[in-house]
Amino acid sequence: MTAEATATVAPSPGRTIHPAWVRITHWVNAAAIVVMIGSGWEIYNASPLFPFSFSRTITIGGWLAGALLWHFAAMWLFVVNGLVYVVLGLSTGRFRRQLLPIRPGEVVADVRAALTGQLTHDDLAVYNAVQKLLYLGVIVAGVVIVLSGLAIWKPVQLQELTAALGGYDWARYVHFFAMATIVGFLLIHVVMAFVVPKSLRAMIIGR
Ligand code: HEM
Ligand code: HEM
């Protein structure tokens, strides 16, 4: 291989780690999901599934009707943006390249390394097995929350979907637990972004 060819293949400090479409859809999604979670919590408060409510200081919408308006407005942003990300992720081969394969052995080894402080983030363009699992997991949670959301939004028009989720009441629980999964992911994800600030920089400016 010539020196020139090597230079284009080998990692160099100036190369793009995350293409623009990933960065744009990532941050649009982050904004949309904050509104979806905040308004969802206010909707939940109107008829709680469990013996607790969310503090009004962290909900969006002020009351049930306001929260529903926010939920259904941000829903379009969330779904359209998510579709762009998933279609491009599949068609460009990014998902296959970055998020697969996930080998259980590697997950165990990387969790162990992370807990003992030995997991490095030398090459930000390559995700470790734990990252792959979490990113793929949250993408699946995103699909589940949209399907269960549609099932409780249009239970008559989409009755097959609602039935597939076990009926209206079960679909509500599915929707709630998908939210809880996403919130759990976010807690870890945001902490990690600040523990490894160069990864945050790469998700903002691409390098
Ligand atoms: C296509 C997307 C979505 C649709 C159509 C949708 C629809 C709905 C509907 C109709 C309700 C009211 C349920 C009821 O009356 O009990 C609801 C509640 C809720 N949504 Fe969504 N939603 C979507 C996405 C999301 C997302 C992305 C999140 C958060 C990550 C979320 C979180 C919640 C929460 C926490 C509730 C309250 C749960 C409950 O008590 O039933 N939703 N959603
Ligand atoms: C303020 C909130 C957020 C911050 C600071 C943040 C930060 C980051 C950073 C720094 C990366 C690069 C990751 C790396 O090198 O490991 C990343 C990737 C990613 N984030 Fe976030 N994120 C946020 C919100 C979210 C939300 C709400 C979701 C989804 C529910 C999400 C899903 C993802 C996914 C799936 C990737 C991998 C993207 C890809 O490579 O195609 N993030 N995030």
Side-chain angles (χ1 to χ4, degrees), residues 25-44:
T25 52
H26 178 270
W27 294 115
V28 169
N29 172 66
I33 213 129
V34 167
V35 177
M36 294 309 281
I37 293 171
S39 56
W41 286 350
E42 181 66 39
I43 300 171
Y44 168 96

Side-chain angles (χ1 to χ4, degrees), residues 7-198:
T8 55
V9 175
S12 68
R15 92 207 141 122
T16 301
I17 296 169
H18 303 300
W21 66 266
V22 170
R23 287 177 277 137
I24 294 169
T25 52
H26 178 270
W27 294 115
V28 169
N29 172 66
I33 213 129
V34 167
V35 177
M36 294 309 281
I37 293 171
S39 56
W41 286 350
E42 181 66 39
I43 300 171
Y44 168 96
N45 281 354
S47 162
L49 287 166
F50 302 101
F52 68 86
S53 303
F54 295 96
S55 162
R56 271 280 164 83
T57 55
I58 52 166
T59 65
I60 294 174
W63 62 308
L64 175 60
L68 282 168
L69 289 177
W70 279 100
H71 211 66
F72 294 139
M75 165 185 94
W76 295 104
L77 190 62
F78 178 73
V79 170
V80 171
N81 181 71
L83 279 176
V84 171
Y85 173 69
V86 169
V87 168
L88 286 175
L90 292 172
S91 62
T92 61
R94 180 179 176 87
F95 286 173
R96 194 167 19 86
R97 242 180 2 256
Q98 304 283 106
L99 304 179
L100 295 173
I102 301 178
R103 300 193 177 88
E106 289 175 11
V107 174
V108 173
D110 284 349
V111 167
R112 209 169 272 157
L115 294 177
T116 51
Q118 284 162 358
L119 194 60
T120 59
H121 291 79
D122 292 339
D123 186 353
L124 291 174
V126 179
Y127 291 143
N128 62 53
V130 178
Q131 281 173 302
K132 287 184 192 174
L133 188 67
L134 289 178
Y135 293 155
L136 214 56
V138 82
I139 293 169
V140 172
V143 173
V144 171
I145 209 158
V146 169
L147 292 179
S148 56
L150 290 173
I152 53 182
W153 181 34
K154 299 283 180 197
V156 177
Q157 294 87 334
L158 302 173
Q159 47 188 286
E160 287 85 5
L161 178 63
T162 312
L165 291 169
Y168 184 89
D169 291 325
W170 279 104
R172 242 192 106 180
Y173 281 103
V174 171
H175 201 63
F176 184 90
F177 283 110
M179 177 280 294
T181 304
I182 292 172
V183 170
F185 162 85
L186 256 182
L187 292 176
I188 301 173
H189 187 60
V190 174
V191 168
M192 287 312 295
F194 288 94
V195 170
V196 190
K198 62 185 180 187

